[in-house]
Amino acid sequence: LVALYEEPEKPNSALDFLKHHLGASAPENPEVEALRLEVAEMKEKYEALLEENKKLKTELAHYEPPREEKHGE
């Protein structure tokens, strides 16, 4: 808000002024885009690993004898 006070000519749109000074309209940093791509790749790997884990648990359950539940504990 100090920047607004120090402006010799007041802006027409307060919202545009705030966006400009808070960095909301700043151009994307290449590092940010690289990080977004990395996050997307990690999400895909995570989903694939969840599916593999589910498949392996099902397969393991097929080979394991059923567990007996103890009552009264």
Side-chain angles (χ1 to χ4, degrees):
L1 292 178
V2 173
L4 179 59
Y5 179 76
E6 293 174 349
E7 282 287 316
E9 293 182 25
K10 302 304 176 207
N12 292 333
S13 171
L15 185 58
D16 288 340
F17 179 83
L18 289 174
K19 282 182 182 179
H20 176 72
H21 280 76
L22 293 177
S25 64
E28 285 292 321
N29 184 346
E31 188 175 323
V32 172
E33 186 59 32
L35 290 172
R36 285 187 180 154
L37 289 173
E38 186 177 350
V39 167
E41 289 173 7
M42 292 296 146
K43 283 182 180 179
E44 287 178 21
K45 286 181 182 179
Y46 172 75
E47 293 298 325
L49 288 172
L50 282 178
E51 282 298 315
E52 182 182 8
N53 188 349
K54 185 178 179 182
K55 177 184 167 191
L56 290 173
K57 282 183 178 181
T58 303
E59 198 173 313
L60 180 63
H62 177 73
Y63 293 108
E64 282 188 340
R67 294 182 182 172
E68 293 182 21
E69 293 186 24
K70 295 181 181 178
H71 297 285
E73 284 187 17

